[in-house]
Every structure is written in structure tokens, then in C-alpha cells.
């Protein structure tokens, strides 16, 4: 009887330790990738993207407003999992002078446009339609993992670079407090 209790307690302790380790590992991974991104205060690199309709977008088009850059790709499972959270953030902050731009790192326009429609993404989207490790934008924005989110201030400087939608939302809450 006591041996069963001891074994059960040890098993429970092992499960708890594994859960805590997994949580710490996820936090460590987020911190690792966030640390490699452009630092706050850095001028955001300019970009030139094409919308699904063929219009051209550059960073200068968003001057005067906060801009959330959501770097993603339709083939990226982590990106797809984050899309509903990014869309919810867009809905929440769209009336507070915050613009959202989905920057696709896809190279297939049909798949990219289909993804925007399938996931009912209402915010603006653009792409260079190049492989994700090759676009100048991925290099300029120090992208080693997607999804990645940047928040750019109205003057074109980085406020935050992160792989965490929650962290981006907390920053947007702070920025838009009182608006």
C-alpha cells in the first residue's frame, strides 16, 4: 500500500517537473528568438511588398500610425495557429490608430491569397513572393522564426520585435491606453 502511494507520488512529481520544464523551455525559446530581433528604437527597414490586388506597399505608407507587422507564411503551422489571435488583436486595436500588415513569406501567390480568404483575415496583406529565407525583408528584419511580430511607431522606429502574440498585445495595450 505505501509502496503504491510512493510510486504514485513520484510519478506525479515527474509529470509536474516535465510540465514546468516544457513551460520554461517555451519561455526560453521565445526569449532566444526575441533577443535576435531588431531592438526597440532601431529604425525599421523599408520594404516593398505587393498586395493580393497588385498594389505596392512600403513602410512610408504607414507613417504617422503604429504598425503591426505580422510576418507569416501559409505553410507554417505555428503561423496558422497564431492567425486567429492576430486577427483578434486587429479587431481590438483597429480603431485606435493601429494598422496591421500581414507580411507573407510565401512564394506561391495562389496559396497565399487562398490562405487569406480561408482564414478570413481582414487586415492588409503584402508579400515579396519569394522563399522565406531569401527575401530581403527576412534578412533586414532578422527573421529566423515565423510567425514574428514587429510593432513600429509612427516615426518608423521599432517598438517591439517578438514571436509572441501575447507580448505584442500587451505592448499595444500600453501604447493605446487612453485612446
Amino acid at each position: 500500500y505505501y509502496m503504491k502511494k510512493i510510486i504514485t507520488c513520484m510519478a506525479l512529481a515527474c509529470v509536474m517537473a516535465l510540465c514546468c520544464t516544457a513551460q520554461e523551455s517555451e519561455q526560453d525559446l521565445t526569449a532566444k528568438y526575441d533577443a535576435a530581433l531588431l531592438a526597440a528604437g532601431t529604425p525599421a527597414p523599408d520594404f516593398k511588398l505587393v498586395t493580393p490586388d497588385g498594389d505596392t506597399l512600403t513602410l512610408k505608407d504607414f507613417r504617422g500610425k503604429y504598425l503591426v507587422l505580422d510576418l507569416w507564411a501559409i505553410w507554417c503551422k505555428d503561423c496558422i495557429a497564431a492567425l486567429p489571435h492576430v486577427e483578434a488583436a486587429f479587431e481590438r486595436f483597429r480603431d485606435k490608430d493601429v494598422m496591421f500588415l500581414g507580411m507573407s513569406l510565401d512564394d506561391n501567390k495562389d496559396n497565399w491569397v487562398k490562405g487569406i480568404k480561408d482564414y478570413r483575415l481582414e487586415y492588409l496583406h503584402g508579400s515579396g513572393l519569394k522563399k522565406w529565407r531569401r527575401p530581403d525583408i527576412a534578412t533586414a528584419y532578422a527573421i529566423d522564426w515565423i510567425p514574428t511580430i514587429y510593432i513600429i511607431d509612427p516615426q518608423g522606429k521599432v517598438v517591439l520585435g517578438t514571436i509572441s502574440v501575447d507580448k505584442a498585445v500587451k505592448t499595444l495595450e500600453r501604447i493605446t491606453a487612453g485612446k
Side-chain angles (χ1 to χ4, degrees), residues 30-118:
T30 298
K32 173 188 169 189
Y33 284 110
D34 284 2
L37 296 171
L38 300 178
T42 304
D46 199 10
F47 53 79
K48 186 176 182 181
L49 302 172
V50 178
T51 68
D53 297 329
D55 296 327
T56 301
L57 298 171
T58 67
L59 180 62
K60 292 175 187 145
D61 295 330
F62 300 94
R63 288 287 166 118
K65 294 189 181 255
Y66 280 94
L67 174 63
V68 176
L69 302 177
D70 172 31
L71 290 100
W72 71 290
I74 195 62
W75 47 261
C76 166
K77 290 181 182 186
D78 289 340
C79 299
I80 300 307
L83 287 176
H85 305 286
V86 176
E87 181 67 25
F90 165 70
E91 292 296 333
R92 182 173 172 195
F93 295 102
R94 71 190 299 176
D95 295 328
K96 297 186 177 191
D97 288 331
V98 178
M99 300 289 299
F100 279 66
L101 174 60
M103 300 177 83
S104 169
L105 299 178
D106 287 291
D107 62 351
N108 182 305
K109 183 177 181 178
D110 292 336
N111 290 344
W112 166 52
V113 172
K114 183 179 181 311
I116 294 168
K117 289 178 183 172
D118 287 351

Side-chain angles (χ1 to χ4, degrees), residues 33-45 139-143 148-153 156-162 167:
Y33 284 110
D34 284 2
L37 296 171
L38 300 178
T42 304
T139 303
Y141 280 85
I143 305 300
T148 293
I149 296 175
Y150 275 99
I151 300 175
I152 310 299
D153 75 12
K157 293 191 178 181
V158 172
V159 173
L160 176 72
T162 185
K167 200 174 194 181

Side-chain angles (χ1 to χ4, degrees), residues 155-174:
Q155 292 75 42
K157 293 191 178 181
V158 172
V159 173
L160 176 72
T162 185
I163 65 169
S164 167
V165 177
D166 290 340
K167 200 174 194 181
V169 167
K170 287 178 182 164
T171 300
L172 288 170
E173 287 170 345
R174 182 179 47 80

